[in-house]
Amino acid sequence: MKNIKKKSQINLIWDIDDLPIKFPSKIRDTYEKIYLKNRRNYTNWIDKIGKKYANNIDWWMTLPSFRNPYESKILNYLCIMDTLSILKFTKITLFTSSKIFGKLITKNFKNSYIEVKIKPKNSGIFTLKNFLKSTIYQLFLFLFIKIFKKKETFENRKIVLIDKFITFKEKQNLGYFPEFSNSKNIKIVPTFIPTLNIFNLIKIFNYIKKNPHKYIYKEQYLNIKDLYFSFSHIFRRRQFLKNKYHYKKIDLSEMIYNELKRYDDFYSINVGLLNYKFFYRLSKERVNVHKSFNWFENQIIDKGWNYGFRKYFPKNQLNSYGYQDFNKHFNLLSNSPSKLEKSCKVIPNNIIIISKFFKKITNEFNKNQKLIIGQSQRFKKLNKIKVIPFKEKKKILIILSGIKAIDKELINMAIKTCKISKKTQIYIKPHPILNIGNIISKNLLPINIVLYDGDLKKILMNSLITITAGPSSALLESVSFGSFNILPKIECGTLYNAQIFNLKKNEYSLVNNSRELNNKINYILKNKNKIKVKKKSIINSKSVKITNLLY
C-alpha cells in the first residue's frame, strides 16, 4: 500500500510579488532558510550558465548576469521553487504577475496541492519607450560634445582615468570621489546622470568648466560606429536565447529568455558598452592609460569600464581599482563579485572598501578578491562627531531607502504604530531619489508623523531610535551616532545586516509588524536609562588615502 501524505487543510494565500514580510509565516520561515542557502547557489549557477559567454561583452550587459535581486527576479523564483518542493503537500494558492513563471510552476508541481493564479500586469510598451529615450539622449550628448569640446592628445604621458558620475546638482557631485591635487596626468571621465532637459545639461557643463580638475569625454574618442554598436545590443542579445538553461533538472529556459528580453535599462547598457569601446579607441590611439579608478557598484556600467581597461591595456590591468564609498547591504548580492566576474576581468583587480566591517560580505563569493581599506569621502565626518548620551536622546526616526516597495512598508508600519499609540511621534526622513509623494499622499499621514527634509546627521544626533530597511547608508550612519536600531524584517536576511556591524543584542531589535514595533518603542522609551548603546567607529580615519594610490 502506498504511503500517501495527508495535505494541509489550511489554504495559504501567497502573492510571490510581495515583500517577504507579507508572506504567510509558514511560507516565510521556509523561504528565508532557503534564501540564505541559495545566495551562494544562485551566484554559482549564474556563473555556470554564463561561462559559455564569459568573454562576450554583451552577456555582461544582460539582467541575468547582473545578479541584482532588486532588478532580476531569478533568485526569488529559484527560492520559490525550492520552497514549494518542501511544502508541496500544503494547500497553497499562489499569485504571480508572470504568466511564464506561473506556467512553470503548474508544469513542475502537477502532483501537489498548489494552485496558480495570474495577476494582470502592465504591457511591454515601456521597453520601446526607454530604448528610444536612451538612444536620443546618447545621440544628443555625442553630437553636443563632438561640436563644442576639443579632443585632447596625450603624447607619451602616463595617464590615470577616474570614472565619476556627474549631475546638475553640485552638492551631489562632491560625494563620488575624494579631493585630490590637480595634475595634467589625472583625468576625470564623467558619466552624466541622464537628462533631456537642455538647461540641466548646461548646468552640468558649467559645473565642469568651473571645476579645477581635468576632464576628458568618452564621446571625444568614440565614433558613430561605437554608438551603433551600443544601440544594437538589443538585437545581439538574442544570441543568448539559443541556449537551454536548467536548474535542478527543471528547464528554466523560457524564464531566462524573458529576463533577457525584458531588461530595459538601456541607459546603463549603452554607457556600459560605450565605456568598453572608449578603452578600445584609446588603445588604438596609443594612449598610455596607466591606472583606472572606477566608482564600483558592480553594475553593468562598471563591467564595461573594467573589462575595457583590463582587456585593451593588459600590461597595466593590475592597476585597476574599484572604489566603494558606500554601505554594504546583505541583499544587494551584486556588490559582492563572483568567481567568474573575477576570472573574466569585468571587475577591478583591487576593490577599495571603506571599513574593515565590509571585508567578509565583499568577499562572500570570491575569497581571493584583493581588498584595500581606503578613506571615505562621504562619511569622513562620522569619526569627528560628538554624540550626546543615549539617555538624553528623544527622537524616533525612520530613514527611507529609496526602494519604493520597502519604503511603502516602512511608512505603513509607522502609520499603524502612530494610530496604536497616539502619543508616539515618529520622524520620517525621505530618501533623496524618491519623493514621498510618489509613495503615499501626505494627507494620509497622522499628525504624529513628521516629515523631515533637513540634514540627516543633525536629526541622528538626537535620535534615540532609528528604524530602517533596504539598501542605503542609514544603518551605517545610525550605528555611528549610537542610536538603538529597530530593523523591520521586510526582506530576508535582516539579521545579517546587523551582524555586518557586529551589533550586540542590546543595540538592535528585529520586528515583524507594527504591533511588535510599537511594543519595542515603548520598551526603549521606558528603559532608556538602563539600555547601553554606544557609538561605533565604522570609518577609520587612518585608512589608505586615495591620493596615495593615484600617483
Side-chain angles (χ1 to χ4, degrees):
M1 187 175 179
K2 290 184 179 180
N3 182 21
I4 301 175
K5 293 194 177 183
K6 189 176 181 182
K7 73 173 181 179
S8 167
Q9 296 302 310
I10 301 173
N11 185 26
L12 299 178
I13 308 298
W14 186 11
D15 187 335
I16 64 169
D17 300 322
D18 271 343
L19 291 162
I21 196 169
K22 294 184 176 181
F23 293 175
S25 58
K26 181 178 180 178
I27 291 174
R28 168 69 188 259
D29 293 344
T30 305
Y31 178 93
E32 179 140 9
K33 289 175 184 176
I34 289 168
Y35 176 89
L36 297 176
K37 185 177 76 170
N38 270 5
R39 287 166 58 86
R40 183 176 297 277
N41 295 340
Y42 161 66
T43 296
N44 292 339
W45 185 71
I46 292 295
D47 276 2
K48 181 181 176 181
I49 68 172
K51 195 171 183 180
K52 180 179 179 181
Y53 309 111
N55 297 317
N56 186 335
I57 185 62
D58 282 310
W59 170 254
W60 297 110
M61 300 296 109
T62 64
L63 190 54
S65 74
F66 191 4
R67 292 189 304 111
N68 182 344
Y70 296 102
E71 298 283 347
S72 170
K73 296 184 178 181
I74 295 176
L75 176 57
N76 182 35
Y77 288 164
L78 298 186
C79 292
I80 289 165
M81 288 189 294
D82 288 344
T83 300
L84 293 175
S85 294
I86 292 173
L87 302 177
K88 61 185 176 182
F89 294 105
T90 302
K91 193 175 180 183
I92 298 173
T93 301
L94 185 147
F95 286 86
T96 176
S97 59
S98 171
K99 290 182 180 180
I100 292 171
F101 188 65
K103 179 181 173 183
L104 186 71
I105 295 300
T106 302
K107 179 181 176 181
N108 289 279
F109 292 89
K110 289 179 180 178
N111 299 321
S112 66
Y113 299 100
I114 298 160
E115 180 186 8
V116 176
K117 293 191 175 183
I118 308 298
K119 302 185 296 181
K121 61 180 285 189
N122 293 329
S123 68
I125 194 170
F126 293 108
T127 300
L128 178 60
K129 181 181 177 182
N130 290 341
F131 176 77
L132 292 174
K133 282 176 65 177
S134 176
T135 301
I136 293 168
Y137 172 73
Q138 293 294 347
L139 280 170
F140 176 76
L141 192 64
F142 177 81
L143 293 172
F144 185 90
I145 291 173
K146 284 288 187 185
I147 294 169
F148 295 106
K149 299 295 175 181
K150 185 179 178 181
K151 183 177 177 180
E152 185 173 354
T153 56
F154 297 100
E155 300 169 352
N156 295 318
R157 286 184 283 153
K158 289 182 178 180
I159 67 166
V160 177
L161 295 184
I162 297 173
D163 161 48
K164 187 174 180 181
F165 284 97
I166 301 291
T167 174
F168 63 91
K169 298 177 181 178
E170 292 192 17
K171 187 177 179 182
Q172 192 173 331
N173 293 331
L174 301 175
Y176 285 109
F177 210 85
E179 292 293 319
F180 56 90
S181 57
N182 205 2
S183 168
K184 66 178 183 180
N185 295 331
I186 299 176
K187 304 292 181 181
I188 294 175
V189 184
T191 294
F192 301 105
I193 304 298
T195 174
L196 289 176
N197 186 320
I198 185 65
F199 298 105
N200 287 339
L201 203 57
I202 291 170
K203 284 182 184 178
I204 291 172
F205 282 105
N206 284 338
Y207 166 81
I208 292 174
K209 188 176 180 180
K210 292 184 293 182
N211 196 287
H213 296 122
K214 303 297 183 183
Y215 285 78
I216 64 169
Y217 303 93
K218 293 189 285 280
E219 292 77 9
Q220 291 169 318
Y221 301 88
L222 297 169
N223 61 37
I224 198 69
K225 289 181 180 178
D226 300 322
L227 281 184
Y228 176 76
F229 177 78
S230 71
F231 298 155
S232 58
H233 165 82
I234 192 172
F235 304 109
R236 292 195 307 276
R237 68 186 182 186
R238 292 175 183 174
Q239 65 188 292
F240 308 123
L241 305 180
K242 297 174 183 178
N243 204 6
K244 290 290 183 181
Y245 304 95
H246 290 84
Y247 173 78
K248 295 183 179 179
K249 297 182 180 181
I250 298 177
D251 187 353
L252 301 185
S253 299
E254 196 174 356
M255 188 181 85
I256 300 297
Y257 298 164
N258 186 55
E259 287 261 319
L260 288 164
K261 290 185 289 186
R262 78 175 178 86
Y263 191 42
D264 64 353
D265 185 4
F266 293 105
Y267 169 75
S268 294
I269 292 169
N270 288 333
V271 173
L273 291 170
L274 292 176
N275 280 342
Y276 172 76
K277 282 293 188 177
F278 170 59
F279 284 103
Y280 169 72
R281 293 299 171 191
L282 290 177
S283 69
K284 286 295 182 183
E285 296 196 18
R286 300 186 181 279
V287 177
N288 186 1
V289 184
H290 181 58
K291 288 183 180 180
S292 155
F293 285 81
N294 166 232
W295 176 264
F296 182 61
E297 298 178 17
N298 204 17
Q299 297 195 47
I300 60 178
I301 289 176
D302 307 314
K303 288 170 180 173
W305 175 282
N306 292 302
Y307 190 43
F309 172 68
R310 301 188 72 182
K311 179 177 179 178
Y312 294 115
F313 294 86
K315 291 182 179 179
N316 299 330
Q317 59 93 10
L318 295 181
N319 296 331
S320 58
Y321 297 85
Y323 188 39
Q324 295 190 330
D325 192 3
F326 46 78
N327 185 37
K328 292 299 182 96
H329 182 68
F330 184 72
N331 288 315
L332 203 51
L333 278 70
S334 52
N335 278 172
S336 304
S338 73
K339 290 179 181 178
L340 186 66
E341 289 167 350
K342 177 177 171 59
S343 66
C344 294
K345 299 180 181 178
V346 296
I347 62 170
N349 185 56
N350 311 279
I351 297 178
I352 305 166
I353 55 176
I354 57 171
S355 175
K356 65 181 180 180
F357 291 95
F358 300 155
K359 275 185 172 183
K360 184 177 179 181
I361 191 166
T362 304
N363 278 1
E364 180 179 1
F365 309 121
N366 180 21
K367 303 297 182 186
N368 298 321
Q369 177 61 49
K370 293 183 180 179
L371 300 179
I372 299 169
I373 300 176
Q375 73 181 99
S376 172
Q377 174 70 12
R378 286 182 164 184
F379 308 109
K380 62 184 179 182
K381 294 181 180 179
L382 291 182
N383 283 338
K384 298 178 182 179
I385 56 173
K386 293 182 179 180
V387 300
I388 64 177
F390 182 75
K391 61 184 179 182
E392 294 180 17
K393 297 181 179 185
K394 297 177 181 178
K395 288 185 168 59
I396 301 165
L397 174 66
I398 290 180
I399 307 175
L400 302 184
S401 69
I403 303 293
K404 186 174 181 179
I406 294 173
D407 290 350
K408 186 176 181 179
E409 193 61 33
L410 282 170
I411 292 170
N412 286 339
M413 291 182 78
I415 291 172
K416 290 177 183 177
T417 299
C418 286
K419 286 181 178 179
I420 294 170
S421 181
K422 295 185 178 178
K423 292 183 179 180
T424 298
Q425 186 176 61
I426 295 178
Y427 290 81
I428 294 179
K429 170 66 175 171
H431 195 280
I433 69 169
L434 183 60
N435 189 307
I436 198 165
N438 293 330
I439 307 170
I440 190 172
S441 170
K442 294 178 183 180
N443 296 329
L444 298 177
L445 299 176
I447 57 172
N448 46 340
I449 285 182
V450 180
L451 295 179
Y452 176 79
D453 289 319
D455 182 30
L456 177 60
K457 292 178 178 59
K458 286 184 179 179
I459 194 168
L460 275 172
M461 185 70 72
N462 195 32
S463 293
L464 178 73
I465 298 167
T466 302
I467 304 159
T468 186
S472 73
S473 64
L475 188 57
L476 184 159
E477 296 186 78
S478 172
V479 166
S480 299
F481 276 87
S483 297
F484 186 97
N485 285 281
I486 298 180
L487 308 176
K489 294 170 67 177
I490 293 173
E491 303 178 277
C492 292
T494 304
L495 170 64
Y496 293 87
N497 284 314
Q499 291 182 348
I500 287 173
F501 297 102
N502 295 333
L503 295 185
K504 298 176 183 178
K505 290 184 177 179
N506 62 296
E507 296 175 319
Y508 76 96
S509 182
L510 308 179
V511 297
N512 291 291
N513 50 52
S514 54
R515 178 180 51 79
E516 290 183 12
L517 176 60
N518 180 63
N519 291 342
K520 181 55 64 175
I521 289 172
N522 289 335
Y523 174 83
I524 295 166
L525 290 173
K526 290 177 183 177
N527 296 278
K528 68 177 185 177
N529 292 333
K530 301 176 185 177
I531 297 171
K532 295 181 179 180
V533 179
K534 294 182 179 179
K535 167 191 172 183
K536 272 186 176 289
S537 295
I538 306 300
I539 307 300
N540 187 347
S541 58
K542 296 181 179 180
S543 297
V544 175
K545 301 295 181 186
I546 301 300
T547 50
N548 293 343
L549 302 172
L550 280 172
Y551 301 104

